[in-house]
Amino acid sequence: MPKVVEMFVTNKNYSGILELQKQILKAYEEDIRKYANGLDQTKILNTFRNIKTFLGKDNKKFQITKINHGSRNREYIGVTD
């Protein structure tokens, strides 16, 4: 998020940065809604919203079952095809 870093460097504080981050993430979600359809849209949004959960762990292995209980890899493979 280069804009966030630029804002911090310019202002020399964190004021307004969280709001800018939220705006950027909302724009990403709007793009997902714009370009994905139906059930694929839901799967992609669920995956996007859970990325931070995996990045915060020591083991950064991505597990579909952690996104939606009972999900299987085969349900998510080829979602964007």
Side-chain angles (χ1 to χ4, degrees):
M1 295 186 178
K3 187 72 172 172
V4 174
V5 174
E6 177 187 338
M7 186 176 188
F8 174 75
V9 170
T10 302
N11 297 340
K12 307 255 190 289
N13 64 46
Y14 292 101
S15 178
I17 288 181
L18 183 59
E19 188 59 37
L20 181 58
Q21 288 174 326
K22 288 179 182 179
Q23 289 173 0
I24 292 169
L25 292 174
K26 183 178 178 183
Y28 288 158
E29 288 195 14
E30 288 172 0
D31 279 350
I32 291 169
R33 285 187 190 96
K34 181 177 177 182
Y35 295 108
N37 297 314
L39 189 56
D40 287 350
Q41 184 182 101
T42 303
K43 291 176 182 178
I44 295 168
L45 281 169
N46 283 340
T47 304
F48 175 73
R49 290 176 182 152
N50 284 284
I51 289 172
K52 62 184 176 239
T53 304
F54 297 102
L55 293 178
K57 294 182 177 183
D58 290 334
N59 178 7
K60 297 186 183 348
K61 183 179 178 184
F62 191 81
Q63 299 170 313
I64 294 294
T65 57
K66 302 293 183 191
I67 292 175
N68 193 10
H69 184 69
S71 294
R72 301 286 178 250
N73 283 332
R74 67 178 170 265
E75 296 169 355
Y76 281 76
I77 292 174
V79 166
T80 59
D81 290 341

PDB file of all heavy atoms in Angstrom, residues 4 11 14 29 31 42 44 54 65 71 81:
ATOM      1  N   VAL A   4      -0.344   4.520   1.586  1.00  0.00           N
ATOM      2  CA  VAL A   4      -0.326   4.555   3.048  1.00  0.00           C
ATOM      3  C   VAL A   4       1.063   4.955   3.541  1.00  0.00           C
ATOM      4  O   VAL A   4       1.202   5.797   4.428  1.00  0.00           O
ATOM      5  CB  VAL A   4      -0.746   3.186   3.635  1.00  0.00           C
ATOM      6  CG1 VAL A   4      -0.596   3.172   5.138  1.00  0.00           C
ATOM      7  CG2 VAL A   4      -2.177   2.862   3.236  1.00  0.00           C
ATOM      8  N   ASN A  11       3.163  12.964   6.663  1.00  0.00           N
ATOM      9  CA  ASN A  11       2.587  13.512   7.895  1.00  0.00           C
ATOM     10  C   ASN A  11       3.418  13.219   9.143  1.00  0.00           C
ATOM     11  O   ASN A  11       3.194  13.822  10.187  1.00  0.00           O
ATOM     12  CB  ASN A  11       1.177  12.959   8.111  1.00  0.00           C
ATOM     13  CG  ASN A  11       0.240  13.377   7.006  1.00  0.00           C
ATOM     14  OD1 ASN A  11       0.485  14.335   6.295  1.00  0.00           O
ATOM     15  ND2 ASN A  11      -0.838  12.632   6.843  1.00  0.00           N
ATOM     16  N   TYR A  14       0.537   8.587  12.352  1.00  0.00           N
ATOM     17  CA  TYR A  14      -0.406   7.574  11.855  1.00  0.00           C
ATOM     18  C   TYR A  14      -1.822   8.109  11.647  1.00  0.00           C
ATOM     19  O   TYR A  14      -2.725   7.356  11.316  1.00  0.00           O
ATOM     20  CB  TYR A  14      -0.461   6.389  12.832  1.00  0.00           C
ATOM     21  CG  TYR A  14       0.828   5.602  12.869  1.00  0.00           C
ATOM     22  CD1 TYR A  14       1.740   5.776  13.897  1.00  0.00           C
ATOM     23  CD2 TYR A  14       1.127   4.692  11.876  1.00  0.00           C
ATOM     24  CE1 TYR A  14       2.928   5.060  13.931  1.00  0.00           C
ATOM     25  CE2 TYR A  14       2.305   3.970  11.890  1.00  0.00           C
ATOM     26  CZ  TYR A  14       3.201   4.154  12.925  1.00  0.00           C
ATOM     27  OH  TYR A  14       4.368   3.447  12.950  1.00  0.00           O
ATOM     28  N   GLU A  29     -12.441  -5.103  -2.614  1.00  0.00           N
ATOM     29  CA  GLU A  29     -13.666  -5.910  -2.553  1.00  0.00           C
ATOM     30  C   GLU A  29     -14.654  -5.491  -3.645  1.00  0.00           C
ATOM     31  O   GLU A  29     -15.330  -6.335  -4.230  1.00  0.00           O
ATOM     32  CB  GLU A  29     -14.300  -5.834  -1.174  1.00  0.00           C
ATOM     33  CG  GLU A  29     -13.506  -6.603  -0.138  1.00  0.00           C
ATOM     34  CD  GLU A  29     -14.269  -6.847   1.151  1.00  0.00           C
ATOM     35  OE1 GLU A  29     -15.501  -6.656   1.176  1.00  0.00           O
ATOM     36  OE2 GLU A  29     -13.614  -7.234   2.133  1.00  0.00           O
ATOM     37  N   ASP A  31     -13.857  -4.336  -6.553  1.00  0.00           N
ATOM     38  CA  ASP A  31     -13.337  -4.909  -7.802  1.00  0.00           C
ATOM     39  C   ASP A  31     -13.683  -6.388  -7.909  1.00  0.00           C
ATOM     40  O   ASP A  31     -14.018  -6.873  -8.993  1.00  0.00           O
ATOM     41  CB  ASP A  31     -11.816  -4.726  -7.894  1.00  0.00           C
ATOM     42  CG  ASP A  31     -11.426  -3.342  -8.370  1.00  0.00           C
ATOM     43  OD1 ASP A  31     -12.311  -2.583  -8.802  1.00  0.00           O
ATOM     44  OD2 ASP A  31     -10.222  -3.025  -8.301  1.00  0.00           O
ATOM     45  N   THR A  42     -18.490 -15.124  -4.003  1.00  0.00           N
ATOM     46  CA  THR A  42     -18.505 -15.417  -2.572  1.00  0.00           C
ATOM     47  C   THR A  42     -17.226 -16.119  -2.141  1.00  0.00           C
ATOM     48  O   THR A  42     -16.631 -15.771  -1.115  1.00  0.00           O
ATOM     49  CB  THR A  42     -19.723 -16.300  -2.223  1.00  0.00           C
ATOM     50  OG1 THR A  42     -20.910 -15.624  -2.638  1.00  0.00           O
ATOM     51  CG2 THR A  42     -19.791 -16.578  -0.740  1.00  0.00           C
ATOM     52  N   ILE A  44     -14.272 -16.075  -3.627  1.00  0.00           N
ATOM     53  CA  ILE A  44     -13.131 -15.161  -3.750  1.00  0.00           C
ATOM     54  C   ILE A  44     -13.133 -14.157  -2.607  1.00  0.00           C
ATOM     55  O   ILE A  44     -12.087 -13.884  -1.996  1.00  0.00           O
ATOM     56  CB  ILE A  44     -13.138 -14.453  -5.120  1.00  0.00           C
ATOM     57  CG1 ILE A  44     -12.920 -15.480  -6.229  1.00  0.00           C
ATOM     58  CG2 ILE A  44     -12.083 -13.363  -5.175  1.00  0.00           C
ATOM     59  CD1 ILE A  44     -13.194 -14.959  -7.623  1.00  0.00           C
ATOM     60  N   PHE A  54      -4.075 -16.007   7.890  1.00  0.00           N
ATOM     61  CA  PHE A  54      -2.952 -16.897   7.599  1.00  0.00           C
ATOM     62  C   PHE A  54      -1.615 -16.173   7.683  1.00  0.00           C
ATOM     63  O   PHE A  54      -0.621 -16.753   8.095  1.00  0.00           O
ATOM     64  CB  PHE A  54      -3.130 -17.538   6.221  1.00  0.00           C
ATOM     65  CG  PHE A  54      -4.344 -18.410   6.162  1.00  0.00           C
ATOM     66  CD1 PHE A  54      -5.498 -17.976   5.557  1.00  0.00           C
ATOM     67  CD2 PHE A  54      -4.331 -19.661   6.754  1.00  0.00           C
ATOM     68  CE1 PHE A  54      -6.633 -18.776   5.521  1.00  0.00           C
ATOM     69  CE2 PHE A  54      -5.459 -20.468   6.726  1.00  0.00           C
ATOM     70  CZ  PHE A  54      -6.609 -20.020   6.115  1.00  0.00           C
ATOM     71  N   THR A  65     -10.114 -25.080   4.539  1.00  0.00           N
ATOM     72  CA  THR A  65     -11.054 -25.438   5.611  1.00  0.00           C
ATOM     73  C   THR A  65     -11.139 -24.369   6.683  1.00  0.00           C
ATOM     74  O   THR A  65     -12.118 -24.312   7.418  1.00  0.00           O
ATOM     75  CB  THR A  65     -10.668 -26.781   6.261  1.00  0.00           C
ATOM     76  OG1 THR A  65      -9.332 -26.690   6.748  1.00  0.00           O
ATOM     77  CG2 THR A  65     -10.794 -27.913   5.273  1.00  0.00           C
ATOM     78  N   SER A  71     -15.249 -26.774   3.792  1.00  0.00           N
ATOM     79  CA  SER A  71     -14.843 -26.531   2.407  1.00  0.00           C
ATOM     80  C   SER A  71     -13.730 -27.469   2.006  1.00  0.00           C
ATOM     81  O   SER A  71     -12.946 -27.921   2.825  1.00  0.00           O
ATOM     82  CB  SER A  71     -14.351 -25.088   2.245  1.00  0.00           C
ATOM     83  OG  SER A  71     -15.395 -24.193   2.445  1.00  0.00           O
ATOM     84  N   ASP A  81     -11.516 -19.623 -13.574  1.00  0.00           N
ATOM     85  CA  ASP A  81     -11.437 -20.101 -14.964  1.00  0.00           C
ATOM     86  C   ASP A  81     -12.695 -19.768 -15.727  1.00  0.00           C
ATOM     87  O   ASP A  81     -13.761 -19.701 -15.278  1.00  0.00           O
ATOM     88  CB  ASP A  81     -11.225 -21.629 -15.005  1.00  0.00           C
ATOM     89  CG  ASP A  81      -9.828 -21.985 -14.508  1.00  0.00           C
ATOM     90  OD1 ASP A  81      -8.973 -21.100 -14.488  1.00  0.00           O
ATOM     91  OD2 ASP A  81      -9.632 -23.165 -14.147  1.00  0.00           O
TER      92      ASP A  81
END
